[in-house]
Amino acid sequence: MSYGERLSSIIVAQLTGAEWFDSRKFIKTEKKHSKHVLDTELTNSLVRETFSSLPKRVLVPGFISTDKMTGEVTNLGRGGSDYTAAIIAAALDADSLEIWTDVDGFMTADPRVISRAYTINELSYVEATELCNFGAKVVYPPTIYPVCHKNIPILVKNTFNPEGVGTVIKREVSDPQSKAIKGISSINDTSLITVQGLGMVGVIGVNYRIFKALAKNGISVFLVSQASSENSTSIGVRNADADLACEVLNEEFAKEIEMGEISPIQAEKNLATVAIVGENMKHTPGIAGKLFGTLGRNGINVIACAQGASETNISFVVDSKSLRKSLNVIHDSFFLSEYQVLNLFICGIGTVGGSLIEQIHSQRQKLMQENGLQLNVVGIADANKAMFSREGFDLGRFREELQEKGKDSSLETLRNEIIGMNIFNSVFVDCTASAGVASLYKDLLLHNVSVVAANKIAASSEYENYRELKQIARQRGVKYLFETNVGAGLPIINTINDLIHSGDKILKIEAVLSGTLNYIFNKISADIPFSKTIKMAQEERYSEPDPRIDLSGKDVIRKLVILAREAGYCLEQSDVEKNLFVPDDFFEGSLDDFWKKVPSLDADFEARRKVLEAENKHWRFVAKLENGKASVGLQEVGANHPFYGLEGSNNIILLTTARYKEYPMMIQGYGAGAGVTAAG
């Protein structure tokens, strides 16, 4: 035993010119509870005696020791080499202990899970111990104990990056204003065992029996959570110990279980324990609230939690499938709070979706620097292909990448991939006009994925569906936003919401909500007949691919229904009175049939236009809500009307409220176009 350690250290000593000392002669252990533990007093005495006269360079094999009674070769366990160095440093009252390893020091979190994790410059002994005990494998936990008592600082450095700052571990950190949370650590290998029953209430010694039975069988407990009612105690153990723990506890409480005072004891396996660590937590109110609020908003269920009175560590248990997401949302919330990360899934890359991705690509740095917002596009899909990646994509060539790497796209693929990724701060952006895609909203919201929709179908569908989506979003703490459903990038819905939240009441809405129809009626003239203006609107991409959708007023009806609902009215599309300007039979048959027939309307429109021109009036397709009654239709407005001078494809809305009764609030601007819709 120990030949490898000794031989390798002898070789290194020869190569470096160091004097080799055999650690078996001065690192002594004794047997306690079937384990070899350090005899500190004897070891310290022998170390001081051995190194009473220090050579210039010394090399000692770590890890190995001998039993003080038998002389048998023993070892100090995992991380024993670090421990050996700490023992010698403490015994000799060293100025510092340096540990050279393969990482840059303690990180704020596991960099394999969180790419934005960074090195912690300073930790207290307590903080380092807490992180080590909960899975941070930078330093073996017992290493800290010997030097802590002598106030000897530990410097952790990377052998492969010697220029790196590393982490200093000492009694007190030099910056008392440092972050409240120093690091996050986790144990993926967790089982939770709960002893519960009304027969436990007020009974002295239950916990004593639990821990005595576990200790007797060599089972280590790393988390304890107890209800104040005393009717349950939950303990966290390794998965490998779970079955034995249940067996010994069921045996210990067999009588109480038989009498029904305690429930049969079982283990909930495949869980993960997460710990946030920092001594400044005790001086910072609201840490626990921020922690659990962040987890809740991201749909992460906390199964059990524990916090010591020292307030250095808050530990909680989650399903192992939620571990990655938990670590990311906590790290984002506590360590990267100067900016917010949003992970976007963009569905639909046509005119609006494509423009949105281009805007994100060009504005990414500006958003980071000026708004503290980091946008990561982690999913892109169109009707045929879909691709997903936690690391994001090259937005400069997303179309090519989608064709090269994308998988077949379907509603099932979208749902399963987005929910399966379980990524934090995730937002689904719907830039389609698909009813199928809109049907995904409910499931996504239930899985704490926010939804931002340019698609009007869901918000204008049956009122009960609209109400349910809004309610789920509120309950899950996520967003369901559809500002661009009405007026593209104009802040219409937000304004209505702000008015209502301030206590105002919407009494009347009058609006021109179709950029397409406004464009058509602004373009019609003696030289440009009605049929040609429709074609121009299609060519300019103001209209739907099938312009009959715009001409039917259906799009405006949807928008009016959405505004009415946001204003507090329960309205269905069928409740809206329609006064259309194109005969019903033009909406029958194919699109080609429509293009053949529509010139037949030109003469009538020209005759009416001349009369309108003589009276100095303009056509406007107006949506109106008043006293709970809604209507849409073509109106003639005179020069004194606010809608008279509306140009191009612009939209305008007048809001008459309890506060803005005599002079309605007016919102006006571009109401169509891919760029403004994407920006909205």
Side-chain angles (χ1 to χ4, degrees):
M1 184 177 177
S2 78
Y3 290 115
E5 188 81 19
R6 282 185 285 155
L7 286 173
S8 61
S9 62
I10 290 171
I11 293 170
V12 173
Q14 289 294 319
L15 291 172
T16 59
E19 186 172 342
W20 184 82
F21 285 80
D22 188 350
S23 60
R24 294 175 299 170
K25 295 181 178 179
F26 49 82
I27 305 294
K28 297 295 181 178
T29 62
E30 57 183 331
K31 203 164 189 178
K32 289 184 178 180
H33 305 294
S34 303
K35 291 185 178 180
H36 289 280
V37 297
L38 183 73
D39 185 325
T40 304
E41 187 176 346
L42 176 58
T43 297
N44 285 346
S45 175
L46 292 173
V47 168
R48 284 191 286 266
E49 180 183 323
T50 302
F51 297 104
S52 58
S53 177
L54 271 174
K56 183 178 180 181
R57 188 177 293 116
V58 172
L59 195 144
V60 175
F63 179 69
I64 56 175
S65 51
T66 52
D67 185 282
K68 71 174 185 179
M69 301 299 294
T70 66
E72 177 188 357
V73 176
T74 58
N75 66 73
L76 299 178
R78 183 179 68 83
S81 293
D82 292 349
Y83 190 21
T84 302
I87 292 166
I88 296 172
L92 298 178
D93 294 319
D95 292 332
S96 67
L97 167 64
E98 293 185 6
I99 296 177
W100 289 80
T101 181
D102 58 354
V103 293
D104 287 334
F106 280 81
M107 308 287 283
T108 51
D110 187 344
R112 294 170 299 180
V113 178
I114 301 173
S115 59
R116 298 176 306 283
Y118 56 86
T119 304
I120 306 169
N121 293 334
E122 291 184 340
L123 286 171
S124 70
Y125 293 121
V126 173
E127 290 169 336
T129 301
E130 292 281 4
L131 288 171
C132 290
N133 282 331
F134 266 89
K137 298 177 181 179
V138 181
V139 174
Y140 181 48
T143 301
I144 300 170
Y145 182 78
V147 293
C148 170
H149 287 279
K150 294 291 187 73
N151 196 21
I152 298 171
I154 304 172
L155 176 60
V156 183
K157 297 274 284 183
N158 189 343
T159 308
F160 305 103
N161 181 28
E163 291 79 20
V165 176
T167 300
V168 177
I169 304 170
K170 52 188 179 179
R171 181 164 293 170
E172 294 181 358
V173 296
S174 58
D175 181 11
Q177 301 301 317
S178 60
K179 291 182 182 292
I181 304 301
K182 285 295 188 66
I184 312 166
S185 197
S186 62
I187 300 173
N188 195 23
D189 174 26
T190 298
S191 286
L192 195 66
I193 297 170
T194 300
V195 181
Q196 62 182 345
L198 295 177
M200 294 172 59
V201 178
V203 178
I204 297 172
V206 173
N207 284 347
Y208 166 75
R209 291 171 62 190
I210 292 172
F211 296 115
K212 180 182 178 182
L214 295 173
K216 186 177 178 181
N217 288 272
I219 298 170
S220 176
V221 174
F222 54 79
L223 179 136
V224 181
S225 178
Q226 182 176 27
S228 60
S229 61
E230 299 183 48
N231 74 338
S232 70
T233 298
S234 297
I235 56 172
V237 300
R238 300 281 183 179
N239 283 327
D241 293 330
D243 290 338
L244 178 59
C246 289
E247 182 182 331
V248 300
L249 290 175
N250 278 311
E251 183 179 332
E252 174 68 29
F253 293 99
K255 184 177 179 181
E256 288 85 351
I257 292 171
E258 184 180 353
M259 295 174 64
E261 295 177 352
I262 290 179
S263 302
I265 298 162
Q266 297 177 325
E268 188 175 356
K269 298 182 179 180
N270 300 317
L271 305 176
T273 305
V274 180
I276 63 170
V277 173
E279 287 201 285
N280 272 354
M281 284 199 292
K282 68 182 73 173
H283 307 300
T284 311
I287 293 294
K290 183 177 180 180
L291 169 66
F292 295 117
T294 299
L295 294 169
R297 283 192 299 275
N298 282 274
I300 299 166
N301 183 46
V302 175
I303 300 169
C305 62
Q307 180 179 16
S310 65
E311 299 184 63
T312 304
N313 176 323
I314 300 177
S315 305
F316 60 92
V317 179
V318 297
D319 189 289
S320 60
K321 294 178 182 177
S322 297
L323 177 59
R324 175 185 285 270
K325 189 175 184 181
S326 299
L327 295 174
N328 273 282
V329 298
I330 297 169
H331 195 270
D332 182 49
S333 179
F334 285 100
F335 293 103
L336 305 176
S337 54
E338 62 271 17
Y339 65 89
Q340 182 183 15
V341 177
L342 294 181
N343 293 298
L344 308 182
F345 298 90
I346 298 177
C347 185
I349 55 172
T351 53
V352 174
S355 179
L356 173 62
I357 293 175
E358 289 165 6
Q359 288 182 31
I360 292 172
H361 182 50
S362 63
Q363 297 288 319
R364 180 172 274 170
Q365 285 301 115
K366 183 178 180 181
L367 289 170
M368 275 281 290
Q369 293 168 2
E370 298 182 10
N371 301 93
L373 182 63
Q374 179 179 328
L375 298 181
N376 296 330
V377 179
V378 296
I380 299 175
D382 63 12
N384 302 310
K385 295 283 187 178
M387 60 182 182
F388 305 89
S389 170
R390 289 181 178 275
E391 306 307 317
F393 303 99
D394 178 2
L395 299 186
R397 57 183 306 275
F398 72 92
R399 294 186 189 276
E400 294 85 350
E401 198 168 347
L402 182 62
Q403 293 306 311
E404 294 167 5
K405 301 179 181 179
K407 60 176 70 176
D408 290 342
S409 181
S410 68
L411 296 179
E412 184 179 10
T413 297
L414 288 174
R415 179 200 175 280
N416 292 344
E417 288 286 347
I418 294 170
I419 294 174
M421 284 176 74
N422 198 25
I423 201 165
F424 73 105
N425 290 354
S426 53
V427 181
F428 178 71
V429 184
D430 182 7
C431 298
T432 74
S434 165
V437 174
S439 70
L440 297 175
Y441 296 176
K442 179 179 177 180
D443 223 2
L444 294 176
L445 291 169
L446 285 170
H447 285 84
N448 286 78
V449 178
S450 291
V451 173
V452 176
N455 186 343
K456 293 182 273 292
I457 291 176
S460 62
S461 63
E462 292 78 8
Y463 182 82
E464 184 55 35
N465 183 58
Y466 158 86
R467 186 198 63 79
E468 184 181 28
L469 293 177
K470 298 268 286 187
Q471 185 177 37
I472 291 171
R474 281 194 300 270
Q475 290 173 345
R476 305 297 292 186
V478 293
K479 303 290 186 182
Y480 171 41
L481 303 175
F482 39 88
E483 178 67 71
T484 57
N485 281 190
V486 183
L490 294 177
I492 298 172
I493 292 176
N494 276 344
T495 301
I496 289 175
N497 289 334
D498 288 343
L499 288 169
I500 291 173
H501 293 157
S502 71
D504 206 349
K505 180 177 175 60
I506 308 296
L507 304 176
K508 182 179 178 182
I509 296 175
E510 296 174 280
V512 174
L513 298 174
S514 173
T516 304
L517 295 181
N518 202 50
Y519 176 87
I520 288 171
F521 290 119
N522 276 328
K523 285 294 181 182
I524 193 169
S525 67
D527 299 321
I528 306 175
F530 176 63
S531 60
K532 187 174 181 180
T533 62
I534 300 172
K535 196 68 177 176
M536 290 169 64
Q538 186 192 49
E539 291 169 351
E540 292 291 331
R541 294 187 174 181
Y542 288 131
S543 78
E544 298 289 340
D546 184 347
R548 291 178 297 179
I549 295 174
D550 298 288
L551 297 172
S552 69
K554 187 174 183 179
D555 187 57
V556 175
I557 290 170
R558 285 175 175 171
K559 293 176 180 178
L560 181 58
V561 165
I562 292 169
L563 292 183
R565 290 172 175 179
E566 290 296 288
Y569 296 91
C570 179
L571 197 72
E572 300 286 1
Q573 291 188 42
S574 57
D575 297 329
V576 180
E577 181 185 345
K578 295 183 288 185
N579 300 299
L580 303 183
F581 53 90
V582 175
D584 290 343
D585 61 303
F586 278 71
F587 300 103
E588 299 171 359
S590 68
L591 183 57
D592 286 339
D593 293 336
F594 169 78
W595 287 121
K596 291 174 183 176
K597 291 169 61 177
V598 74
S600 65
L601 298 174
D602 289 347
D604 178 61
F605 267 94
E606 175 57 17
R608 293 162 60 191
R609 187 199 65 78
K610 287 180 179 178
V611 174
L612 206 66
E613 186 177 48
E615 296 176 351
N616 193 26
K617 292 182 179 180
H618 289 162
W619 275 315
R620 296 289 179 253
F621 193 79
V622 178
K624 185 176 180 180
L625 174 75
E626 187 172 14
N627 298 322
K629 303 291 184 181
S631 64
V632 298
L634 193 62
Q635 291 185 16
E636 299 174 358
V637 298
N640 294 327
H641 197 285
F643 296 171
Y644 178 83
L646 195 62
E647 298 179 348
S649 62
N650 286 3
N651 282 188
I652 188 170
I653 182 167
L654 299 178
L655 298 174
T656 303
T657 75
R659 294 178 187 149
Y660 294 87
K661 188 177 290 185
E662 187 176 355
Y663 299 101
M665 180 182 290
M666 183 170 70
I667 303 169
Q668 180 178 348
Y670 291 122
V676 291
T677 303

